[in-house]
Amino acid sequence: MQEDSPVQNENTPDAPHTGQPQRAGRRNRLIVLSAAALVALGLGGVAVATTGGDHPAPAAVSLDAQSRAEAASRADRSARESSTPVTPSASPTPSPSAASASPTPAKTATAKAKPKPKPKKTTKPTPAWVNPMPGAAVTSCYGQRWGTLHAGIDLALPSGTPLRAAAAGTVTQAGDASDGYGNSVFIDHGNGYLTHYAHQSRIAVTVGQKVKAGQVIGYEGATGDATGPHLHFEVHQGMWNQIDPAPFMRARGVDLGC
């Protein structure tokens, strides 16, 4: 026996049309619940997008979650950048000569200066002929006096003044020469000339002694025939051949004042 199938009324709406209001209601409730949850969590805002039709609504996006994602991205990027090896800059290597060279110490003012060499004392060479009593006053020259020849020059200074050899030579006589000369010294100069020093108070040389020009040979006095202390100086060209001492000595650079 065949069962009768139910008869569909033309005025009855199709099944799909009867389910649409229910789905829309469920969507609205989900959106409200999601928004309430976000507000309760204090996330500061919810972006909700709804679309018409049958497509489901997009999920809510949290601004705090996006901020955490960006921070994580930055941290990851900085980690990658810090892991990049950094090439150290080359520092200049000091040259061995510069490192080993030590500064030369400057000379201090306290350093002992080398003493300057003292200039050598130079003495003028003694002339070949000198004045036998320098600075003396002339009391009598060579020539006639009281009718007789005064055969020498008289030079006067205080008694005891040193008498000097007029030139280098050898002493041939030293003592009393008689004939009024008193204590006398004769010096042979080896060139044919002799000098005679009379009236000495004291004799300082001996016969045969070699003397230099200017050497002390005795001291002024008044022995023999003398009216006062003085030197009677004679020049002999050969023994006892007296000549005028003034021109002779002048020719040798000595002025006796006559």
Side-chain angles (χ1 to χ4, degrees):
M1 182 175 175
Q2 186 177 0
E3 295 180 1
D4 294 334
S5 56
V7 180
Q8 185 174 1
N9 191 352
E10 292 180 0
N11 295 325
T12 304
D14 295 334
H17 293 286
T18 59
Q20 287 179 356
Q22 294 177 358
R23 286 195 300 270
R26 283 195 298 269
R27 265 198 317 272
N28 292 334
R29 284 194 300 272
L30 286 175
I31 290 172
V32 172
L33 290 175
S34 297
L38 288 175
V39 171
L41 292 174
L43 298 178
V46 178
V48 180
T50 57
T51 56
D54 296 332
H55 296 285
V61 180
S62 172
L63 294 179
D64 186 61
Q66 184 178 0
S67 299
R68 286 198 300 272
E70 290 176 357
S73 176
R74 286 196 301 271
D76 182 61
R77 185 168 63 253
S78 63
R80 287 198 306 272
E81 289 176 356
S82 62
S83 63
T84 304
V86 179
T87 304
S89 59
S91 60
T93 303
S95 60
S97 60
S100 62
S102 59
T104 303
K107 292 183 178 179
T108 60
T110 57
K112 292 184 178 179
K114 292 183 178 179
K116 293 182 179 179
K118 295 181 179 179
K120 294 181 179 179
K121 293 182 179 180
T122 57
T123 56
K124 292 182 180 180
T126 304
W129 290 80
V130 299
N131 191 322
M133 198 162 69
V138 178
T139 58
S140 183
C141 292
Y142 179 88
Q144 292 295 321
R145 188 178 63 175
W146 304 321
T148 59
L149 178 64
H150 182 250
I153 296 176
D154 291 345
L155 303 170
L157 277 174
S159 181
T161 299
L163 307 176
R164 303 179 184 278
T170 304
V171 177
T172 58
Q173 290 188 30
D176 190 355
S178 67
D179 294 336
Y181 286 109
N183 293 330
S184 298
V185 171
F186 290 80
I187 300 174
D188 184 354
H189 300 290
N191 55 357
Y193 293 92
L194 293 88
T195 51
H196 177 198
Y197 311 82
H199 305 308
Q200 295 186 36
S201 61
R202 181 164 61 91
I203 296 174
V205 292
T206 57
V207 176
Q209 182 178 343
K210 293 185 180 301
V211 295
K212 297 178 180 180
Q215 181 176 336
V216 176
I217 59 174
Y219 299 89
E220 180 189 9
T223 58
D225 295 337
T227 56
H230 68 279
L231 166 65
H232 177 81
F233 177 68
E234 295 181 350
V235 175
H236 296 204
Q237 190 174 4
M239 191 62 179
W240 296 111
N241 183 24
Q242 295 99 323
I243 63 173
D244 188 352
F248 177 86
M249 295 295 289
R250 198 161 38 243
R252 289 156 179 79
V254 180
D255 185 2
L256 295 179
C258 288

